[in-house]
Amino acid sequence: MKVVILAGGLGTRISEYTKTIPKPMVKINGKPIILRIMNYFAKAGHNDFYIALGYKGEIIRKYFKHFKSDWNINLVDTGKKTMTGGRLKRLKKYLKNETFLMTYGDGLSNVNIDKLIKFHELKKKLVTLTAVRPPARFGYLKLNNGLVKYFKEKSRSDEGWINGGFFVINSKFLKYIKNDKTYLEREPLENLTSKNQLSAFKHEGFWQCMDTLRDKKNLEKSILNKKLQKIFD
């Protein structure tokens, strides 16, 4: 399957790096996160990449200009101010009438790609997203007259499920995206929900996005684990 990677956002929440480079080029233990994402898909047998460029896209182009591999890498300018849905819509001519994989250029997960695809085929919906547990952030207190009556350290299971950003998409979904200003995560996916056309593959394993400097440090710490290091290198 073709793999779409959205790599054009501004990445303002990690501006320590994105003032000079696009977020997908931020290095995680010495390698750009986008390369670690691509390695993961390639190991699952999917190495036909379509990278949607935007902010500082020329830096990603320069990086891959002399990159040697047997991968098929297509770098497509999708506009500097285009939103996530608009970027995907701009790739329509490359995606034709196929089902494809899609993710963002700022997150890693060991989600089983084969099982994700099989789940999508089983559900027969236009889009399947990967549902993950967000990292636990805060504990929970119950107070009464200034006294703590209940104290519990928050666990991942308390957080519910969120969109983990690893999708399988039927190209018919692109008609739900209006224009460059459309956020993929708003009207398009919300409309699918109302039409019962969005399925969710639950993933309980490793997942970490890179929105902030803290997230970057957590990612680096996580993939020092030998099992994860082997997966993403």
Side-chain angles (χ1 to χ4, degrees):
M1 276 187 185
K2 290 174 179 174
V3 180
V4 171
I5 302 177
L6 302 185
L10 296 174
T12 53
R13 293 178 68 194
I14 191 167
S15 60
E16 298 92 338
Y17 291 92
T18 56
K19 283 178 183 176
T20 54
I21 59 173
K23 187 156 67 157
M25 291 302 295
V26 173
K27 291 182 178 179
I28 301 297
N29 295 341
K31 288 185 181 179
I33 190 170
I34 192 169
L35 183 58
R36 293 194 181 276
I37 294 166
M38 293 166 78
N39 277 334
Y40 187 69
F41 278 105
K43 285 177 182 178
H46 305 280
N47 59 8
D48 189 8
F49 296 104
Y50 292 78
I51 302 174
L53 303 178
Y55 175 71
K56 296 191 180 294
E58 67 279 3
I59 294 175
I60 298 177
R61 281 191 184 279
K62 186 177 179 181
Y63 180 81
F64 284 108
K65 187 174 182 181
H66 303 293
F67 185 78
K68 293 180 180 180
S69 75
D70 58 355
W71 302 347
N72 179 33
I73 303 173
N74 301 273
L75 304 169
V76 185
D77 182 16
T78 56
K80 290 187 178 179
K81 295 183 179 180
T82 309
M83 300 299 108
T84 48
R87 292 193 191 286
L88 186 56
K89 183 98 171 178
R90 286 207 187 194
L91 296 178
K92 185 177 180 180
K93 67 178 180 180
Y94 302 98
L95 303 171
K96 300 175 184 176
N97 296 316
E98 302 169 35
T99 295
F100 58 93
L101 297 159
M102 194 212 87
T103 195
Y104 305 101
D106 64 353
L108 292 175
S109 175
N110 64 349
V111 58
N112 188 308
I113 303 296
D114 288 341
K115 287 183 179 179
L116 173 62
I117 293 170
K118 286 176 183 174
F119 180 86
H120 176 79
E121 292 169 347
L122 179 69
K123 292 296 182 182
K124 295 181 169 62
K125 304 300 181 185
L126 286 182
V127 175
T128 297
L129 59 76
T130 298
V132 300
R133 304 281 196 184
R137 297 281 305 269
F138 306 103
Y140 181 67
L141 302 177
K142 277 187 181 178
L143 305 177
N144 186 22
N145 292 326
L147 295 175
V148 177
K149 296 296 183 182
Y150 178 86
F151 178 94
K152 186 185 177 189
E153 188 64 26
K154 204 163 186 121
S155 71
R156 282 166 60 96
S157 61
D158 294 328
E159 298 277 356
W161 297 93
I162 63 169
N163 169 22
F166 286 77
F167 295 84
V168 185
I169 300 175
N170 184 310
S171 58
K172 291 178 183 176
F173 167 65
L174 298 180
K175 69 183 180 183
Y176 288 86
I177 301 171
K178 192 174 180 181
N179 54 37
D180 281 358
K181 294 180 180 180
T182 305
Y183 287 88
L184 176 70
E185 305 78 11
R186 294 181 186 172
E187 291 88 353
L189 291 182
E190 287 170 5
N191 287 339
L192 281 198
T193 304
S194 65
K195 294 179 185 298
N196 200 31
Q197 282 295 322
L198 179 63
S199 58
F201 177 76
K202 290 182 178 179
H203 173 62
E204 296 272 12
F206 173 75
W207 175 86
Q208 177 69 59
C209 65
M210 188 184 65
D211 282 338
T212 64
L213 186 58
R214 176 183 174 177
D215 293 334
K216 178 187 184 293
K217 289 176 180 176
N218 286 339
L219 258 176
E220 290 183 320
K221 199 180 296 181
S222 295
I223 66 169
L224 286 176
N225 173 295
K226 285 185 179 179
K227 284 184 181 178
L228 291 176
Q229 197 169 36
K230 189 175 180 182
I231 289 170
F232 298 118
D233 273 350

